[in-house]
Amino acid sequence: MEPAKTIIKRLGGPTVVAREIGLSRVTVSRWQAEKEKGGTNGNIPYAHIQKLYSLAAKKGVELDPA
């Protein structure tokens, strides 16, 4: 589910993202799942957006705010 799937993939996958921003892999994986399956329909919770931008900068990955 987009945009979470693409962002997580570009940053190295759910395990890497989870480790780098201090969450469980399951939590990060849920961002990619449908709401009916306990996910967020591809939406990343606002509280983690800045952490993802920081991780992207650290890895040299460009993230588009859109």
Side-chain angles (χ1 to χ4, degrees):
M1 303 229 59
E2 297 301 335
K5 182 178 179 179
T6 298
I7 292 169
I8 292 167
K9 182 178 179 180
R10 291 182 70 198
L11 294 176
T15 302
V16 172
V17 171
R19 181 180 58 239
E20 293 288 332
I21 67 173
L23 296 173
S24 73
R25 184 196 53 77
V26 172
T27 298
V28 173
S29 292
R30 284 187 185 143
W31 299 345
Q32 303 173 85
E34 297 174 2
K35 197 163 213 129
E36 295 79 23
K37 295 181 180 181
T40 64
N41 281 338
N43 297 310
I44 297 170
Y46 182 78
H48 305 297
I49 299 294
Q50 190 57 49
K51 293 175 190 175
L52 292 176
Y53 278 123
S54 295
L55 178 58
K58 177 180 168 183
K59 292 180 158 283
V61 174
E62 187 175 327
L63 291 182
D64 181 2

